[in-house]
Each structure stands twice: as C-alpha cells, then as structure tokens.
Amino acid sequence: MKPSRKRKRNSCKEKGNLIDLFEKLNALNKKKLENDDDSTVNSKISEDNTDNSSAKLIDKTIIENEDTQNDSVLCKEDCKICKLESYVSNDWYTYLCEEFSKDYFISIKTELHKKAFYPPIEKIFLFSKYFDIKDTKVVIIGQDPYHNPNQAMGLSFSVPINVKIPPSLKNIYKELNSDLTGYSIPSHGSLIKWAEQGVLLLNDVLTVEKNKPGSHSKMGWKLFTQRILEVINETCNNVVFLLWGNYARSKSFLINPSKHLILESAHPSPFSANKFFGCKHFSKTNEYLKNHNKVPIDWAIL
Ligand SMILES: [Zn+2]
C-alpha cells in the first residue's frame, strides 16, 4: 500500500522524522530478533512514542519491510546507508524530502548496501552543504563521480587537495586562465571555494563503484538530480547553467531559458577540449550575474 499524500507531507515536516524512524526500526528489529513475542515489540513501540500516528507508522513499516525483506531496515547495527538522506543538508532536505519515500530512492539505498562505492557516504551530498537552494547562482553539471580511490568528493569536477588534478579540470583551469585577466592556475583541484559562493557542482549520478565508471547510472540517481534541477528552475531566478558536453546539454529541457541563462559548449575532457577552449563561460557568467544585480563569482579564489 502506498503512503497517502497527506502522510508524505507530514513526514516532510522535520528532517529528523524519517531518520528517527529508521533508527527506531533498526532498534526494534534488533529487539524483535531477540524476542519472538510480537506483543512485547508493540508495547515497546507505544512506550517510545507518545504520538500514536508515529507508532502506527512504525508498526506498518515493520510489516511492509518483513514482506519485502528490504536490506535497509534489516541492518543490525547503526547503518549509515539506511540513513542516507540524513546527509542532505537541512535546507535542501526540505525541498527534496518527498523523494526519500519514493521507490527509486529506497531502491538506491538497497543497492548501496551491496558493494563499496565512491564517494564516502558523508560526501555524496556535499554539494548541498554550502548554500541554500534559493541562493544558487551557477550550476555546473557533471556526469559521474570519479571512480579511483580518494578522488570523488561530492562536487562535480572537484578532487580533494593533494589529489592529482584530473585532465578535464586542468582544461577548465586553462580556459579560466585565457578567459579572465590576472587568473593564475591553482596547484590543487578542490573547488570548495566555488561552492561556497553558490556554484552548484552537481553530478547527474551521485555514486559509482570502484574502477567502474557509469556503474551506478541506472540506480535511480538521475531521478533525484533531475528533481534538484527542477526545484532550482522553479525556485530561483537568473541562475547560470553551464552545460558542457552532450550529456549535460541533454538536461537543458529542464531549464526555463526566459528565467535563466543556459551556456553550452563541448566537454572539457581531452577528447573534446579544443571545442571547449574559447567558450569564455566564466566571464559570460559574471557578466550575466552583474546585470541581474548579483555578486559575481570569484573564480580565482581557489
Ligand atoms: Zn543499512
């Protein structure tokens, strides 16, 4: 049985609700394994929840999960994957909370239990950490997280400081160097300082299996990131979308060009960089932001 619209909305009111629910479920499942007497479990639910509707929801969820044998609630210990959505920052959570109860998101959680993945779970939603959705100024869409150890950090094109700068990012730096006067190429590949200024560095797919590029492309993440783009398109005004390569360009249908600026070019990877160079997207972005009374991005701050 699908949860009602009303219940979904109620579950979105506070970030803690779903997470608390999973924590209680884990604790209760553990207790249940120890004690086959259902009446004990049910009386424990009542003790833990003064709110009757919560108790009913938990009870119902246990029954449903027993039917589906969903891994995500059968974890015996405190499991980070079961609480995946808790890593989305507060503001973004309120916009996206209805996604967390959808089949595709539950399926992502189930799949992530099976094999190790990148980036570390705490960093999957790092892009949501630095600013509220309404303050998004620029969106740079990537495809897949980096698939080698220590590279992926939850921001498209970015790698942690001390990790070798990937070829595509090197080319982005080269273009910046020719586009902006006084720009000097940084010695590292961390783009956190861009994110701090309202640049959303969003991959289309948010996890990947080690050394297997594209391995999670059918996991359901595209529905989640599409929702993010829809929310930005609806909620914000005068955002600049930088769509590099055919993959990113295929997202343009989600963006209203009368509200926002879409800049398209080839991808900065070595295979197509000769068509990327000269796009001058960084100066064009700042020109647009200034024209719409927004503080431009300091691209050189890294
Ligand atoms: Zn789990």
Side-chain angles (χ1 to χ4, degrees), residues 145-201:
Y146 294 118
H147 55 268
N148 292 322
N150 304 318
Q151 283 186 306
M153 59 182 288
L155 302 174
S156 61
F157 294 101
S158 179
V159 289
I161 290 176
N162 299 328
V163 171
K164 191 181 170 193
I165 302 173
S168 293
L169 184 53
K170 273 188 187 171
N171 289 335
I172 291 171
Y173 286 167
K174 276 187 198 172
E175 174 58 23
L176 273 159
N177 193 39
S178 75
D179 187 14
L180 306 175
T181 49
Y183 179 86
S184 57
I185 291 179
S187 58
H188 64 83
S190 172
L191 305 179
I192 285 177
K193 300 274 186 193
W194 290 1
E196 287 174 344
Q197 299 175 76
V199 178
L200 174 60
L201 297 159

Side-chain angles (χ1 to χ4, degrees), residues 26 71-73 75 79-82 113:
N26 275 334
D71 292 345
S72 63
V73 290
C75 295
C79 172
K80 290 181 175 181
I81 299 171
C82 284
H113 278 81

